Amino acid sequence: DCTVTVMRDVSKLREAERELRESEARLRKIFEASTESIAVVDLETRVFIDVNQAFLDSTGFSREQIVGQTSNEVGFWEKPERRAEFYRLLLETGRVHNMEVDFNVNRRTPFPALLSAVIVPIRGRQCVLTMARDISDRRDAEQKLKDSERTLRRIFNSSLDPMVINTMADGRYIE
């Protein structure tokens, strides 16, 4: 009778596995704690793989309504041509930075956002990591400013009294 014994030191392998688990846990916490709407989408199939809580909060969708679906199936893009432009830019450059878009959401009113994305490999698949920042407040402020400017322009143009606009610093006439 013979016995063959092979021994291998697996302590480094176990340490690497522990570090990998800790790294994944840290990244998951960052993903969930972010106030930006984050989604992970399979690049080939365009299917949502994961979304964070901020995404769910800002869109009004549940995780079950999103994960496993494409944005077309959900009817997520307000303007489908913007989706085509988004993927064209992404495939050409590997990233998109601050693209202004509108998303359909369960809240009835579109969700205006600045959308950024990058292609990243995740578990052997090419995926799109997207981050969207709600710009509703900015859009509202821009509209109020336009309305105010329009009102002041009407007042300025319809006044019977002469009016002049000049700079305070040097008194130069603007209008």
Side-chain angles (χ1 to χ4, degrees), residues 113-169:
L114 284 180
L115 182 64
S116 296
V118 65
I119 298 173
V120 294
I122 299 177
R123 295 191 178 126
R125 293 162 41 183
Q126 288 294 92
C127 295
V128 182
L129 177 66
T130 66
M131 291 146 284
R133 176 177 297 135
D134 185 340
I135 58 170
S136 300
D137 292 341
R138 189 190 90 186
R139 283 244 185 110
D140 291 344
E142 287 171 352
Q143 187 58 49
K144 286 177 183 171
L145 180 60
K146 286 178 186 174
D147 293 345
S148 175
E149 288 173 346
R150 204 172 11 260
T151 299
L152 289 174
R153 172 66 47 205
R154 275 196 318 267
I155 292 168
F156 186 80
N157 290 337
S158 65
S159 175
L160 298 176
D161 295 324
M163 281 195 228
V164 177
I165 300 174
N166 61 336
T167 63
M168 295 290 289

Side-chain angles (χ1 to χ4, degrees), residues 5-19:
T5 305
V6 177
M7 293 180 17
R8 180 183 309 165
D9 183 1
V10 294
S11 58
K12 287 184 181 182
L13 177 62
R14 296 248 167 119
E15 178 66 17
E17 289 173 345
R18 185 188 62 74
E19 288 176 7

